[in-house]
């Protein structure tokens, strides 16, 4: 039988009932007659205090183990659950037996052979920098911060599924390996079984590669999601996505998780309404289902984040067209020469600094920017009547900038093929995709939410590498 988790034991009424605690030692304080051992199992922030009373007589074996017990060791402790005389905790364990399952030495120790040497446990009781913890990403979930991120991330994923499942969206599994570049940004990881040494000598013949052609890790499940949305009406994907962008920033990963709903019989307005409703639902889920974690993030990571999420969950998102947004940016730049590193100009993509200015200073909250120039957006977006802008929408949020990117899709066969050719894509490579416009085409739309950006926003964690267990970025694929 699995052990009872500490979070449940902490909630019990103390009646001197027998309990067994399984976890890792956070701290030990040895005070003459009393030894206090705090044990945590990651089920919640709090550890449970286990008190060993020498006055009540401890057997020699327990005494021996207790003396050498160190932070990080895994233990099983038996005792009685009693009311705690100390402030800050309702219950504690009057401990009688202690078993160490695995030690975690506080100093370097040498074993019989070099492989058995063990370095001192790196997570001693002090604050460690996130940079240091990234180097020991396999141990960082044992810290308060990373334990909290892990629990919150899991609950957010569940809330996302719940949101869509309760609204008749079907969870679609799109392929990880694909032959197409959905976003047209050319930032793809190639997948091959070719012998690269042989290739270097003889040249490349992709017909001999595993799939008989060039293939990549997917940058988005959208195109396949469109095929199912135009069959079963509402779908969403939630899976890993890969981008070989050479951008070393606090909001980009080479491997990230994306949530992509796709809806049939829908236009841009429906898409924006869905994005807003969805985000608010998720923020409320965080507030209601991760209250302890948010209290922690509010106290130690980003002051005021709870109030901020509450406000955003109740506010109407602002809307602005790209053209008006650029006017605002130009106006601000004219008034303050050093404001931006990149000068805003119609036709250029919005930089992160522009996005932050729009959401923080112009809108004072989340803002949806619409109708971007066609040149800076993907081929599949629906053309506006002006023939210059497309029915795109990006949701920008304070502290982060873009959290969602979406659009209404071009559903007209002629316009779509024309746009593809303009962008240097071969329509025959996307024949299956164009079939959706040949047979029973409908207005449809969708968006993509970067799951890690969402977790960053909800926790206030500054670096995206700290909200995914094992970050992959340029030059970084450890663990
Ligand atoms: O704006 P993007 O590139 O849009 C798409 O991929 C569309 N196919 C979505 C759709 O309409 N179905 O990416 C969507 C979101 C961004 O807003 C951002 O939150 C996140 O994915 N994202 C990244 N997150 C982390 N690291 C990266 N390198 C990211 N690139 C995009
Ligand atoms: Mg985007």
């Amino acid at each position: 039988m699995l052990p009872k988790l500490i979070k449940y034991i902490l909630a019990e009424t103390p009646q001197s009932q027998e309990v067994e605690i399984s976890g890792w030692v956070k701290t030990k304080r040895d005070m003459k007659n009393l030894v206090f051992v705090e044990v945590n199992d990651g089920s919640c922030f709090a550890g449970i205090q286990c008190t060993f009373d020498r006055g009540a007589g401890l057997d020699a074996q327990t005494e021996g183990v207790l003396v050498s017990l160190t932070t990080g060791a895994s233990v099983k402790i038996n005792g009685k659950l009693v009311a705690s005389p100390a402030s800050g905790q309702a219950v504690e364990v009057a401990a009688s037996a202690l078993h160490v399952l695995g030690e975690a030495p506080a100093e370097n120790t040498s074993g019989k052979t070099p492989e058995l040497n063990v370095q001192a446990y790196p997570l001693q009781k002090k604050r460690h920098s996130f940079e240091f913890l990234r180097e020991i990403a396999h141990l960082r979930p044992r810290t308060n911060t990373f334990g909290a991120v892990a629990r919150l991330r899991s609950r957010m994923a569940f809330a996302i599924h719940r949101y869509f499942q309760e609204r008749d969206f079907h969870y679609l599994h799109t392929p990880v390996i694909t032959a197409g570049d959905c976003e047209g940004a050319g930032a793809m990881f190639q997948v091959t079984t070719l012998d690269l040494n042989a290739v270097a000598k003889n040249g490349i013949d992709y017909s001999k590669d595993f799939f008989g052609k060039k293939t990549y890790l997917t940058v988005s499940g959208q195109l396949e999601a469109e095929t199912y949305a135009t069959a079963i009406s509402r779908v969403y994907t939630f899976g890993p996505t890969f981008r070989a962008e050479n951008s070393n920033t606090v909001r980009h990963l080479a491997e990230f998780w994306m949530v992509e709903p796709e809806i049939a019989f829908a236009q841009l307005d429906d898409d924006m309404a869905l994005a807003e409703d969805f985000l608010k639902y998720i923020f409320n889920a965080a507030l209601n289902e991760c209250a302890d974690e948010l209290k922690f993030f509010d106290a130690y990571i980003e002051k005021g984040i709870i109030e901020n999420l509450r406000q955003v969950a109740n506010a109407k998102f602002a809307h602005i067209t790209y053209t008006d947004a650029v006017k605002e940016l130009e106006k601000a730049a004219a008034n303050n020469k050093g404001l931006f590193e990149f000068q805003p100009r119609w036709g250029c993509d919005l930089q992160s600094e522009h996005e932050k200015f729009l959401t923080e200073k112009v809108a004072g909250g989340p803002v949806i920017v619409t109708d971007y120039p066609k040149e800076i957006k993907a081929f599949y977006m629906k053309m506006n009547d002006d023939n210059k802008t497309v029915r795109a929408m990006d949701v920008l949020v304070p502290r982060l900038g873009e959290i969602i990117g979406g659009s209404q899709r071009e559903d007209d066969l002629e316009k779509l093929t024309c746009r593809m050719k303009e962008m240097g894509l071969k329509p025959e490579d996307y024949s299956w995709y164009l079939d959706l416009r040949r047979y029973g085409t409908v207005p449809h739309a969708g968006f993509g939410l970067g799951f890690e950006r969402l977790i960053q926003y909800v926790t206030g964690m500054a670096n995206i590498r700290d909200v995914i267990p094992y970050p992959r970025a340029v030059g970084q694929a450890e663990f």
Side-chain angles (χ1 to χ4, degrees), residues 70-127:
T70 52
T71 296
S74 49
V75 292
K76 264 192 197 301
I77 291 174
N78 295 82
K80 290 185 163 49
L81 192 71
V82 296
S84 177
S87 66
Q89 62 205 22
V91 298
E92 63 178 55
V93 177
S96 48
L98 163 67
H99 301 278
V100 172
L101 308 179
E103 294 174 354
E107 281 155 27
N108 295 353
T109 57
S110 40
K112 273 184 270 174
T113 57
E115 316 70 86
L116 298 179
N117 291 350
V118 178
Q119 302 233 311
Y121 183 58
L123 294 174
Q124 295 305 328
K125 196 181 163 60
K126 60 164 187 161
R127 278 252 198 145

Side-chain angles (χ1 to χ4, degrees), residues 16 63 126 130 141 183 206 208 240 244 256 341 368 388-389 444:
S16 292
E63 176 65 38
K126 60 164 187 161
F130 290 152
E183 294 307 305
Y206 282 112
K208 300 231 164 63
F256 63 99
E341 188 187 339
I368 310 185
K388 281 193 215 132
T389 57
H444 62 288

Side-chain angles (χ1 to χ4, degrees), residues 288-302:
N288 297 332
E289 296 160 38
C290 304
D292 287 346
E293 283 75 17
L294 284 186
K295 246 186 255 162
F296 173 87
F297 292 118
D298 200 314
Y300 299 106
I301 304 292
E302 175 78 32

Side-chain angles (χ1 to χ4, degrees), residues 372-384:
Y372 284 72
K374 62 180 178 185
E375 286 81 10
I376 56 171
K377 288 292 182 187
F379 72 92
Y380 51 71
M381 297 190 183
K382 186 160 184 66
M383 191 69 71
N384 278 316

Side-chain angles (χ1 to χ4, degrees), residues 183 220 222 243 245 253 258 260 402-405 409 450:
E183 294 307 305
S220 161
Q222 179 197 316
R243 305 233 171 142
E245 300 161 336
L253 289 166
M258 193 157 41
E260 293 184 277
E402 179 186 345
I403 192 167
I404 279 181
R409 320 308 188 188

